[in-house]
Amino acid sequence: MATTQPIRSKQEVRELAAYYLKRGQLRNHALIVLGVHTALRISDLLRLRWDDVYDFENRRVRAAIDIVEKKTRKYKTIALNKAAVNALALLAARAALRGRFLIENPYTRRAISRIQAYRLIRDAAETLRFQTRVSCHSLRKTFGYHAWKSGVSPAVIMEIYNHSSLAMTRRYLGVTQDDKNEVYLGLALTA
């Protein structure tokens, strides 16, 4: 089975996020935006409810999400950046209801399945003709890859992912020979 990769092109990340927004499918747009900006596993993303992300008393999206990760059972707080807040605000205008799932199937009022999330992401990537194999986990990997490329220490990314080893984080980052070449060619210590 082929391993999924992070989406290395920022342009492709933007295209993927815009794909469902242009179609008015705000739930699917929020799924992708939150996936690449929170580094949550799809199982944790699909468990989010409106109460986790929306302050009903003040009628606004929260600044952060507090969550206990399903896999690690560790508590974490995730600050929501402007892109995540905007995607949630758009969706909230249509769908914010106490107790309901954020990424909800409107017919069953349950969270969409992992398979449905995979299909949404894969179908958008195929329509956009991405060359990389993309899945739900690609969103999580994309976060780490772009954090690393922007200069964030792999040790910090390891903490965000709740990985037990730096080796696992390195595999997640999907470092390629092109990334290594960029370092070799970009470092001019004596010139």
Side-chain angles (χ1 to χ4, degrees):
M1 183 173 177
T3 303
T4 61
Q5 295 295 316
I7 303 167
R8 290 178 176 84
S9 161
K10 285 185 180 180
Q11 179 60 32
E12 284 186 347
V13 174
R14 287 189 287 272
E15 288 173 9
L16 186 63
Y19 180 80
Y20 286 113
L21 181 61
K22 289 176 184 175
R23 287 159 181 73
Q25 297 174 0
L26 301 180
R27 178 201 68 184
N28 301 343
H29 170 70
L31 171 71
I32 291 167
V33 171
L34 287 174
V36 298
H37 289 288
T38 64
L40 284 172
R41 289 177 185 86
I42 195 67
S43 58
D44 292 322
L45 192 54
L46 295 178
R47 287 184 322 125
L48 289 175
R49 294 182 180 267
W50 275 105
D51 303 83
D52 299 321
V53 300
Y54 194 76
D55 179 352
F56 285 95
E57 289 178 25
N58 295 309
R59 300 167 94 169
R60 63 182 170 87
V61 175
R62 297 183 189 281
I65 300 171
D66 294 316
I67 187 172
V68 175
E69 290 183 320
K70 184 177 178 182
K71 182 176 180 178
T72 64
R73 299 194 193 319
K74 291 181 181 177
Y75 173 85
K76 74 186 316 185
T77 298
I78 302 165
L80 295 175
N81 69 6
K82 187 177 179 179
V85 169
N86 288 344
L88 288 169
L90 283 172
L91 184 58
R94 279 195 202 166
L97 292 169
R98 287 186 189 271
R100 300 276 287 269
F101 286 102
L102 181 64
I103 310 296
E104 185 177 81
N105 178 326
Y107 303 109
T108 65
R109 293 198 176 169
R110 299 177 113 178
I112 66 172
S113 69
R114 292 169 56 109
I115 296 193
Q116 182 62 26
Y118 167 73
R119 286 181 187 139
L120 293 169
I121 294 163
R122 182 203 60 202
D123 290 350
E126 285 179 359
T127 301
L128 294 167
R129 300 174 195 237
F130 287 6
Q131 298 302 308
T132 307
R133 179 171 146 52
V134 177
S135 72
C136 297
H137 217 56
S138 295
L139 302 180
R140 181 169 159 86
K141 289 181 175 187
T142 297
F143 171 90
Y145 178 81
H146 288 284
W148 171 68
K149 291 294 279 185
S150 70
V152 175
S153 164
V156 173
I157 297 168
M158 181 180 122
E159 286 291 318
I160 289 170
Y161 280 152
N162 275 327
H163 284 163
S164 57
S165 73
L166 198 51
M168 177 174 275
T169 302
R170 279 198 313 264
R171 281 197 312 269
Y172 256 62
L173 296 179
V175 177
T176 65
Q177 187 60 47
D178 288 342
D179 296 316
K180 294 175 194 176
N181 290 348
E182 186 178 313
V183 173
Y184 290 131
L185 298 173
L187 196 60
L189 297 172
T190 58

